[in-house]
Amino acid sequence: MDLILVGFMGSGKSTVGKLLAQKLDKEYFDLDELVVQRAGMSIQEIFEQSGEAGFRKIEQQCLRDTEHLSGILSTGGGTPIPENNQQILNKMGAPVVLLAASIETTLARITDSDGRPLVEQLGPSGLNKLFKQRQIAYSQVSDFQIHTDRLSPVEVTEQIMEQFQVVK
Ligand code: S3P
């Protein structure tokens, strides 16, 4: 991979990832989409049939499959949490960018979002807890972070390109 985006649900990974890929003329990979393709069912259905553990297994297989591809990869919000995944991400050698947002912005963005089983399962207080729990892993795995609360996806994309001095 050329660049990897990580961050909590609703941080804008997919939107920014697509924009970056377009601007840089690279291929775009969305780990959630790869999981859905591999499983032949939606994320919601995977959680229903095999639980979160089943989902994480497929997610890790798909992450490994991207190891030797080049392009921009948007991960899922939970991808950087398992230690094995952190090792896979490090091994890829691509810059890892954390898209960070406040809990308030995050909750506003993901409440009522379809297709995110954890949002339904956990509710606002559970999501708040998960958000806090994940911060250490997010910063450990990332090389650079951008606070997105007051930025549009285009501005976030431009900042990433500036940071890595890739101008197109
Ligand atoms: C998850 C985030 C989702 C998806 C799955 C689990 C998480 O991806 O991978 O529902 O554990 O935070 P997005 O961050 O793209 O919503």
Side-chain angles (χ1 to χ4, degrees), residues 9 13 32 43 55-56 59 75-78 116-118 134:
M9 292 172 267
K13 303 178 294 288
D32 283 340
I43 293 179
F55 171 80
R56 297 294 168 208
E59 184 182 42
T75 57
R116 287 188 171 119
L118 290 178
R134 286 180 170 177

Side-chain angles (χ1 to χ4, degrees), residues 7-11 13-14 30-32 35 43 47 52 55-56 59 75-79 81 110 115-118 130 134 138:
F8 203 75
M9 292 172 267
S11 59
K13 303 178 294 288
S14 304
D30 186 309
L31 194 58
D32 283 340
V35 169
I43 293 179
F47 268 72
E52 183 173 346
F55 171 80
R56 297 294 168 208
E59 184 182 42
T75 57
T79 310
I81 309 308
I110 63 178
R116 287 188 171 119
L118 290 178
L130 187 69
R134 286 180 170 177
Y138 286 155

